[in-house]
Structure formats: structure tokens, C-alpha cells
Amino acid sequence: MNVLLIGGGGREHALAWKISQSPLLEKFFAIPGSPGIADFAACVENISIADNAALVNFAKEKNIDLVVVGPEAPLVNGLTDALNAAGIKAFGPNKLAAQIEGSKIFAKRLMKKYNIPTADFEVFYDADAAKDYIRKKNAPIVIKADGLAAGKGVIVAQTLDEALNAVDEMKTFGVAGSKIVVEEFMDGEEASVLALTDGEKIIPLIAEQDHKRVFDGDKGLNTGGMGAYAPAPIVDEKIAAQVEEKILQPTIAALKAEGIIYRGCLYAGLMIQNGTAKVVEFNCRFGDPETQAVLPLMESDLLELMNDCAGGTLNDKKISWSKNSAVCVILASGGYPKSYKKNLPIDGIAKAKSLGARIFHAGTKLKDGELVTSGGRVLGVTITAPTLREAVDKVYRCAEVIHFDAMHYRRDIAARALK
Ligand code: AMP
Ligand code: GLY
């Protein structure tokens, strides 16, 4: 198969690494790719991932059999629809199905209509009405902008004042912020369960935990994710079964009942309390950095599974998993998730690899032949080991030998599971 991968972050590097191991793979391209992905695929930087027509043309020209779409924006922008219309298969939901991430209102209404467990909510198109409702409900309470807001459109307000201000802040998210969801605050522990689906069958992956806040002890601002590990023991067998039967299966069935066939990765962000899981959010793609932790544990052929998802032929396929644990620690630029410097030279990757780490490039580029930083999240360091304890000890020994100016990372990834 000839494959085109869309994206260039740490998640896409992990996808490229795993896809490259498939005996089905023939030619492999990535747009835009990265210095890490370049080890596996020919990277093409002069086509925008927002330009559906140019991407379709490229796929036709290169006789691509399957396009794997990494990030949410091209999915919400209808890339899968454009490819399918040209007779090209894509892994990743079409525009209607991608609303599950692209519109919080769509996702919440779907869950309510089909009794999928999630926080109670109301939708508002008017700031004053939202504020009246918030005063009635009181804090803690959660305010969300409707559309994609690069992970920043959610405010978990601990006080009434914070909540009322949040309504005004939503306006800064443009169109996304003119429609808001006000949601009941859920207490508990978060986990992520990703699943592959062809719109009919689903196969959940191993449960994981991300670390969204920038500093140790879940302090500081929300980020795209500072580290992940798998398996996450908070999702025991009973909860895993509940997530599959009460959340994942019913969501795919609900979409189908609405006339929408969801093909790709469905990511359920969960809140777990007292042995039950509720949905915090859905994403229409693999998680980042969850993918960098879970794929190194997968023994099955990911490309074959993705092709089955795209073609509706998942049937009764299973995924086989290693018994190991995996942990991924993100090395971030100083200042992230706010502003940070770029173009800083990176050292020590070869040393970390020699200690056994897999290094996934999240925000790097080559400048005059030298590897430098180019994003907020720069590298993901992943270790797999027979126990989580060993994986964590080793991952930090590897992280330590990598260096760029003002680099920072959390020291407590997976600490909750080790307690
Ligand atoms: P979302 O983009 O919807 O995942 O929200 C981002 C983060 O906000 C989540 O990972 C949670 O930590 C938090 N969050 C969102 N909704 C709720 C809720 N209803 N109760 C508590 N925390 C929430
Ligand atoms: N790690 C969270 C996400 O991918 O949205």
C-alpha cells in the first residue's frame, strides 16, 4: 500500500514509526512531516494541510491507497470527504462525524439524546442568559466555547466570579465563543480510552492517562499534554467494560442512527469517580501524547487495522498487546504553553536512544543541518518496560541526557499509578 500521513507532531511521528513496520507498506509520504518522520517517509512541506484540493491532487499523483489524518483540523475541515469523493480511502472521520470534536454542542446533544453518561449541561447563544444560569447553579462549574479553540476554550471555574468572567472571555474565541456550553463540574480522576472503529465495530486500545497541566502536581496552565502512560490502572476491567458497552459502542451506534458513519480513531476523555466513567469530551483522532505511549505496546499491524477502519472491514479483528507498561514524557520549551523561544539547538538524542528510549519529535526542525526546537512541545521520550516503575525510572534517566536551553518537563508522569 502507498500511504500518505497528514501532520507533523509527536503523535504523527509515533504513527509513522508504527506504520513503517507494516509488511503492507510500499511508498510512504508525509505532509508536512518532521525531522523524525523523515526517517520513515518522504516529507513534503510545500502543501498546506488546510488545502483539501491540493492534498487530493497529491494523493492522486502518488497513487495513494490510504491517507492517515493525524490532527483534528483537517478532519473537521472535510479532508476525508474530499478524498473519498476522489475515490481515495482515508483513516479519520468525515466532516459530519468529526463534529464530535469540532462542536461541543453537537457532542453533548448526541450524548444526551442517546443516554451516554456525561455531565449535565445547557447551551447558550447569549451571554446574559448564560450568566443567569450560572448564578442559579453556582460554582464550581465549567464553561466551554463551542468550536475548536486549540484546547483553550474550556474554563473550569472554582468561584462564581471566575465563572461569570469566563463567559466574557469566551468572546475571545471568535465564532467558537459565541455559542457556549455551561456544564456541571465533575470530580474524579481523568483517563483516556481511544478506540479504532469502522463505524460498525470498535476495538478499544489500552486505557491511558494524560497530564494536561504544565507543572508537577497538576499545577499551572492546561497544555496539549505533558506526558502519558499506559496501561492506566484506574481503568480496571469493570470500568473498561463499562466504557466499551455504555460509552464507545453506543456512541458509534448513536452516530449511525443519525446517519453518520464514523471511521477512524474515537478518543473518549473520561472522568472516573466511584467506579463509573462519564465522558468529559470526545476527540475525533488519536491523542497526543497518548499515541506515543500506547503504540509501542501494540503488537498488531496498525496499517492493516487502519485500512480496515477506512474500508469498513474491521469485522471481528482483535489487537494483540505487549504485557509491558509504557510511559512518555514531553520535553517542552521554557514558557510553554505561553510564548517561548524557538531555534534552540537540541543535544543528547543519540545518547537517550542508546539508553533505550524512543524519541518522538513534536516540535523540531533542521536549521543548517542542525536539529533545533520549533514548537512548545519539542520531544516525547518513551520507554517500555515490564513494570511501570521501571519504565518511569528509565524514562527520567533518558530525559536527563537531552538538553536545549530552558527545556522543562514534568517529573511526576505516572506518579498517580505508582502510589
Ligand atoms: P475538554 O477540552 O472538554 O477536554 O476540557 C479540558 C479539560 O477541562 C479536561 O481535560 C478536564 O480536565 C477539564 N474539564 C472539562 N469538562 C469538565 C467537567 N465537566 N468537570 C470537570 N472538569 C472538566
Ligand atoms: N492529549 C490530549 C489530546 O490529544 O487532546
Side-chain angles (χ1 to χ4, degrees), residues 101 104 108 118-120 140-145 150-156 158 182-188 190 210 212-213 222-223 267 269-271 279-283:
E101 176 169 2
K104 304 248 185 233
K108 293 295 288 188
T118 189
D120 279 339
I141 198 160
V142 182
I143 294 92
K144 300 183 175 185
K152 297 185 189 107
V154 174
I155 295 173
V156 180
Q158 296 300 341
V182 180
E183 200 174 282
E184 168 205 6
F185 171 79
M186 293 186 283
D187 214 355
E190 287 184 72
D210 186 13
K212 290 204 166 135
R213 302 298 188 105
N222 258 329
T223 69
Y267 168 132
L270 306 167
M271 190 70 80
V279 178
V280 177
E281 63 163 348
F282 283 117
N283 292 322

Side-chain angles (χ1 to χ4, degrees), residues 111-296:
M111 288 187 266
K112 190 172 196 172
K113 181 168 174 191
Y114 292 91
N115 288 316
I116 294 157
T118 189
D120 279 339
F121 70 100
E122 285 296 331
V123 173
F124 296 94
Y125 300 89
D126 172 79
D128 290 334
K131 288 181 183 173
D132 285 344
Y133 176 79
I134 288 169
R135 284 191 198 95
K136 230 175 5 192
K137 288 283 175 181
N138 218 332
I141 198 160
V142 182
I143 294 92
K144 300 183 175 185
D146 181 50
L148 292 182
K152 297 185 189 107
V154 174
I155 295 173
V156 180
Q158 296 300 341
T159 66
L160 186 59
D161 272 352
E162 235 182 289
L164 297 173
N165 287 334
V167 173
D168 295 322
E169 264 176 63
M170 288 296 141
K171 291 183 190 129
T172 60
F173 299 113
V175 184
S178 63
K179 301 179 234 167
I180 58 178
V181 176
V182 180
E183 200 174 282
E184 168 205 6
F185 171 79
M186 293 186 283
D187 214 355
E189 197 172 322
E190 287 184 72
S192 315
V193 176
L194 285 59
L196 300 183
T197 177
D198 67 352
E200 191 71 45
K201 298 282 182 176
I202 65 150
I203 316 180
L205 311 187
I206 294 178
E208 303 184 67
Q209 211 162 38
D210 186 13
H211 298 66
K212 290 204 166 135
R213 302 298 188 105
V214 66
F215 298 128
D216 287 13
D218 295 327
K219 301 270 168 24
L221 294 171
N222 258 329
T223 69
M226 293 297 290
Y229 68 95
I234 174 88
V235 181
D236 59 19
E237 252 173 60
K238 185 170 150 264
I239 295 175
Q242 185 216 333
V243 170
E244 184 167 353
E245 288 154 24
K246 300 276 195 283
I247 293 174
L248 296 169
Q249 297 276 14
T251 299
I252 295 303
L255 286 163
K256 201 175 159 201
E258 298 288 314
I260 299 172
I261 305 297
Y262 189 108
R263 289 180 167 164
C265 180
L266 178 65
Y267 168 132
L270 306 167
M271 190 70 80
I272 295 161
Q273 195 192 24
N274 300 329
T276 55
K278 287 186 183 180
V279 178
V280 177
E281 63 163 348
F282 283 117
N283 292 322
C284 63
R285 34 111 190 137
F286 280 97
D288 192 343
E290 285 93 332
T291 305
Q292 294 89 306
V294 81
L295 290 186

Side-chain angles (χ1 to χ4, degrees), residues 337-391:
K338 290 201 167 161
S339 66
Y340 49 83
K341 283 193 191 146
K342 294 185 185 179
N343 295 312
L344 304 169
I346 305 168
D347 297 314
I349 290 184
K351 177 84 195 286
K353 282 185 179 168
S354 75
L355 295 174
R358 278 194 191 87
I359 306 294
F360 295 116
H361 292 232
T364 73
K365 66 173 186 193
L366 286 172
K367 195 175 163 227
D368 307 322
E370 185 185 31
L371 192 72
V372 298
T373 65
S374 72
R377 293 189 290 178
V378 176
L379 297 169
V381 182
T382 295
I383 286 286
T384 55
T387 65
L388 188 60
R389 175 84 263 167
E390 281 172 72

Side-chain angles (χ1 to χ4, degrees), residues 71-92:
E72 61 276 15
L75 295 167
V76 173
N77 190 32
L79 177 56
T80 293
D81 310 65
L83 290 162
N84 290 348
I88 301 161
K89 270 201 255 179
F91 177 88

